[in-house]
Amino acid sequence: MRVRQTSPLLAALASLAAGCAPVAENAAAVPPICRGRAYAEITDRFSLVDHTGRRVSQDDFRGRPTLYYLGFSFCPDICPMALQRMAAALSRLGPDAAGRFNTVFISVDPERDTPQALAAYVQTPAFPDGLRGLTGTRQEVEAAQRSFKSGATVEPDPDSAAQYTIAHTSIIYLFDRDGRLKSFFPDSVGPDDMAACLGAHLEGRL
């Protein structure tokens, strides 16, 4: 079963884009897929618990660019495919790329995604090395979702053992080392294009 995604972010960005020019001054040097994707309305503000049980905030990820994805571990295909695309894009940048980015998975299903559950999930071999899993109370998770302009809706699924699924926004966000959104990648952006954007960012072109 494929989890239907909801996309308030994409709807909001459609209206924003009409009045927003690309942020990069040297836009000609930026891959087209990366342009016009930085909006001050989208931030990475949160206070959550990581998969080791440690309380963390956005400040713990400053100093390196960060890739964020909001999803849930029971997600049958959209979430694992997004994290696999993230890993594939990083692999295209060379063997040291994983050490140049933070990679973060924020759960929108805190009732099931405990730190212990996320500790196992982030170790999935196809996911990025060093992936951090974050969860928290329902209120903390919803606050993080508002910060990222990311939606999630619980939907009953009586045919599954879990009894519910979650329709959610499926976006990989790229924030710079100082916590500013630089780009984002919906499911339509493949690992080659994503790698081009990440490389441009590392080279100071994005």
Side-chain angles (χ1 to χ4, degrees):
M1 177 192 64
R2 184 174 176 82
V3 174
R4 181 178 63 81
Q5 64 166 298
T6 182
S7 52
L9 170 60
L10 298 180
L13 291 179
S15 60
L16 283 170
C20 291
V23 171
E25 294 180 1
N26 54 344
V30 176
I33 195 68
C34 311
R35 296 181 190 169
R37 293 182 177 272
Y39 300 100
E41 292 85 349
I42 301 172
T43 62
D44 66 341
R45 300 289 183 266
F46 56 83
S47 176
L48 295 167
V49 175
D50 75 6
H51 65 269
T52 71
R54 177 172 171 257
R55 174 67 57 176
V56 297
S57 74
Q58 66 282 346
D59 294 335
D60 291 278
F61 301 100
R62 298 296 182 252
R64 287 193 296 183
T66 300
L67 291 165
Y68 292 102
Y69 184 79
L70 284 74
F72 64 113
S73 70
F74 279 72
C75 180
D77 50 14
I78 288 178
C79 303
M81 287 191 297
L83 293 171
Q84 289 170 33
R85 284 189 299 114
M86 187 190 295
L90 290 170
S91 72
R92 283 156 170 74
L93 298 178
D96 65 336
R100 303 178 73 181
F101 289 87
N102 301 309
T103 54
V104 181
F105 175 79
I106 298 177
S107 174
V108 298
D109 186 14
E111 288 77 17
R112 293 183 294 195
D113 283 340
T114 63
Q116 294 80 7
L118 289 179
Y121 187 71
V122 298
Q123 294 299 316
T124 302
F127 294 172
D129 291 340
L131 180 66
R132 299 276 293 275
L134 306 186
T135 188
T137 66
R138 170 55 61 186
Q139 292 76 16
E140 290 167 342
V141 166
E142 289 178 350
Q145 290 174 235
R146 289 192 295 272
S147 180
F148 284 93
K149 299 290 189 289
S150 177
T153 303
V154 175
E155 298 184 342
D157 187 8
D159 295 330
S160 76
Q163 294 298 299
Y164 71 90
T165 187
I166 299 176
H168 64 94
T169 306
S170 185
I171 295 283
I172 295 171
Y173 302 82
L174 170 63
F175 281 77
D176 70 13
R177 60 183 297 155
D178 297 314
R180 295 171 296 199
L181 178 71
K182 301 303 292 184
S183 192
F184 60 86
F185 312 107
D187 290 342
S188 58
V189 178
D192 290 335
D193 287 333
M194 193 186 311
C197 297
L198 300 182
H201 179 61
L202 290 176
E203 295 164 6
R205 295 185 288 115
L206 173 62

